[in-house]
Amino acid sequence: MIVTSAVRHAAAGSAALLFVLPVPAAVASPAGPVPRAVSSVGEPTPPARRHVDPARLGRKGTQVQRLAGAPEMPSVSALSWVVADASTGEVLAARNAHRRLPPASTLKTLFALTALPHHGPSERHTVADAELEGIGAGSSLVGVKEGYTYKVSDLWNGVFLSSGNDAVHVLAEMNGGWESMTRQMQEKARSLGAEDTHVVSPDGYDAPGQVSSAYDLAVFGRAGLQDPAFARYCSTSYADFPAGSWSYGIANTNRLLTGADGVERYPGLLGIKNGYTSNAGNTLVSAARRGDRTLVVSVMNPQEGGGFAVYEEARSLLDWGFEAAGRVEPVGSLAPVRAKAAADPGTRTVSVAREKPAAAAAPGRAAGAGAEAVAPQAARSTVAEAEGPSAGLPLALVASACAAALALWGWRRRTARRA
C-alpha cells in the first residue's frame, strides 16, 4: 500500500508538472514563419524566373507585354525611353531601348558611379589652373575658381545640382586625368552590362562618337540608387557653394525635383540627372518611390512639347509604371547577364539577372539599411530561443519527483520496521 501510494503521488505530481510547465516550442518560436534572413545556410531564394526574350529590347518601336487590367501606354514623343523596376531590374516597357544617341549631361551619372568611391566627401582640394583647361564653350558651370579650396562634397554638389562641367574637370583630374577618366568610365559601363555607351568627354559635352542609350542610362540610374553618396547628391534640391570667404546658393536643375519654372514636382522623386545640348536635345534619368516600389525611367530627346517636355514625358511614364506594376510581363532586364560563381559544389548558382539586389537607397540612407533592419529581428529570435526553457527541463523535474517519492517510501518502510 505504501508503495502504491508513493507511486500514485509521484505520477500525479509528474503529470501536474507537465501541465503547468509551458511548451518549449511555443515559447522559442516567434509567431508566424521564421524569416529567411535568420538562417545562415545557403542564400535567399531569388524572385521566380520569368521567361524574357533577351533580343526583345533590341527591336524597334515600343515593347510592352500587358496583362489583363494593365493601363494603356501614354503618348510619348521621345526617340528612346525605358521604364524599369529599380529593385529587380525588370524592364516593364521600352521604346528603342538600345538606340544610340548623344546623352548630354545624363552621362554624368556614369562619371559619378566611376569617380565617387575614390575620395571622401570631407577631403579638401585646391584647384590648379590646368584643371580648368579644355572646358567646352557654352558649358554649364557652377563657378569653380583656380586657387580656391573646396571640399569634395562641394564639387559633387556642383556636378549634380548645377551640372557644372568645371566641377567635373577638377574631379577628373583628381582621379587620374581626363583621358584616364574616359577609360575608367568605359570600363565601368561594360562592367554594368551597358554596351551602347561610348565615352569621349566625361562631362557629357557633345563630342564626335559620344553616345549612350535609354537602356544604358537606366542601368546607370539604377546602380546609382544603390550607392548612398550618389543617392544623397542626386536628391539634393538646394546647396551652398563656397566662393572663398562667402558662399552662394545653387539649385538642382532637375525640375521634377524642385518644381521650378512651372514644372510640378513629382511625388516621391529620388532625383538623378537631367541634361541638354543642342545635339542631344533634352535627356533625363529619373527615379521615384511609391510604397515599397521604386521605378527608374530614362527619356532621350522628346520631339514635341518644347524644352520641358522631357519632364512631363518622364512623369507620364512613372505614373504608368506604378499603375502597371504587376499587370505586365517584363520585356527585358537591366541586370547584366552573367552567373554568380558558386562558393562550393553544393551552392546554388543564381543568374544576376534574376537576383534581387538590396533595396534602392533612400536619399541620405545607406543601401544596406534593409539588411541592418533585419539584424535586430534575427538577434531577438536568437535571444528568445536562448532564454526559453529547454526541452529537457520537464523530464528532469519528473525524474526528481519520482526520486523524491521513492526516497519517501524507503524512509516510511524503515520507520515501520523500527516500530
Side-chain angles (χ1 to χ4, degrees):
M1 290 298 292
I2 294 175
V3 174
T4 304
S5 177
V7 172
R8 186 165 52 248
H9 280 84
S14 301
L17 284 169
L18 288 174
F19 277 109
V20 170
L21 286 170
V23 180
V27 175
S29 300
V34 177
R36 294 185 61 84
V38 174
S39 174
S40 59
V41 180
E43 59 186 18
T45 302
R49 289 179 176 272
R50 292 195 275 183
H51 174 70
V52 178
D53 180 0
R56 184 160 187 170
L57 288 181
R59 300 173 189 167
K60 293 182 178 180
T62 300
Q63 304 299 319
V64 63
Q65 193 169 338
R66 298 167 59 243
L67 302 176
E72 295 286 343
M73 291 300 309
S75 176
V76 178
S77 70
L79 296 178
S80 177
W81 52 263
V82 163
V83 182
D85 187 300
S87 295
T88 64
E90 292 178 340
V91 177
L92 307 184
R95 178 176 177 80
N96 302 329
H98 289 290
R99 180 173 177 176
R100 297 181 177 184
L101 296 166
S105 285
T106 51
L107 192 64
K108 290 182 172 78
T109 56
L110 177 59
F111 172 72
L113 287 172
T114 307
L116 260 172
H118 298 162
H119 297 275
S122 60
E123 181 180 335
R124 293 181 176 274
H125 177 76
T126 301
V127 177
D129 293 353
E131 294 173 341
L132 297 176
E133 293 177 356
I135 298 176
S139 289
S140 53
L141 306 171
V142 67
V144 176
K145 302 295 183 183
E146 61 273 10
Y148 284 27
T149 299
Y150 300 90
K151 291 191 299 184
V152 167
S153 60
D154 295 326
L155 294 173
W156 280 117
N157 280 333
V159 171
F160 277 95
L161 277 68
S162 297
S163 203
N165 288 2
D166 47 357
V168 172
H169 272 254
V170 173
L171 286 164
E173 289 300 321
M174 294 173 63
N175 285 276
W178 201 246
E179 297 302 323
S180 174
M181 195 74 249
T182 301
R183 291 192 297 272
Q184 291 176 54
M185 289 172 64
Q186 195 69 65
E187 292 169 1
K188 183 67 173 180
R190 296 298 178 264
S191 74
L192 293 171
E195 300 290 336
D196 303 321
T197 299
H198 179 62
V199 182
V200 178
S201 183
D203 54 8
Y205 191 79
D206 282 340
Q210 178 152 279
V211 292
S212 190
S213 67
Y215 178 89
D216 285 10
L217 294 179
V219 167
F220 303 152
R222 177 183 182 237
L225 291 178
Q226 298 173 45
D227 181 331
F230 186 112
R232 182 173 65 255
Y233 289 122
C234 81
S235 64
T236 300
S237 298
Y238 304 96
D240 289 327
F241 193 79
S245 60
W246 62 289
S247 63
Y248 52 90
I250 56 175
N252 201 312
T253 56
N254 183 351
R255 293 165 178 82
L256 277 186
L257 184 66
T258 62
D261 299 319
V263 176
E264 184 180 350
R265 295 178 62 183
Y266 193 84
L269 194 80
L270 304 179
I272 299 189
K273 192 71 188 73
N274 59 312
Y276 172 81
T277 67
S278 55
N279 187 36
N282 287 282
T283 58
L284 178 66
V285 185
S286 288
R289 179 179 292 111
R290 186 176 297 176
D292 59 355
R293 186 177 298 277
T294 300
L295 298 181
V296 60
V297 165
S298 56
V299 179
M300 301 188 76
N301 202 349
Q303 300 296 289
E304 302 173 0
F308 295 157
V310 71
Y311 299 110
E312 300 308 326
E313 294 194 358
R315 183 194 308 278
S316 64
L317 290 171
L318 285 168
D319 285 344
W320 176 87
F322 285 119
E323 187 178 353
R327 301 176 183 176
V328 294
E329 290 289 342
V331 293
S333 174
L334 299 180
V337 181
R338 60 173 181 249
K340 200 167 75 171
D344 55 66
T347 301
R348 182 173 66 256
T349 299
V350 181
S351 169
V352 170
R354 290 289 165 258
E355 281 190 299
K356 187 171 182 179
R365 283 181 54 193
E372 293 170 2
V374 174
Q377 184 176 359
R380 285 194 298 271
S381 178
T382 304
V383 170
E385 292 173 1
E387 291 179 352
S390 66
L393 182 58
L395 296 178
L397 291 174
V398 169
S400 298
C402 290
L406 291 173
L408 177 62
W409 171 75
W411 176 78
R412 288 183 175 177
R413 186 173 182 180
R414 288 193 297 273
T415 303
R417 286 177 178 175
R418 294 191 190 100

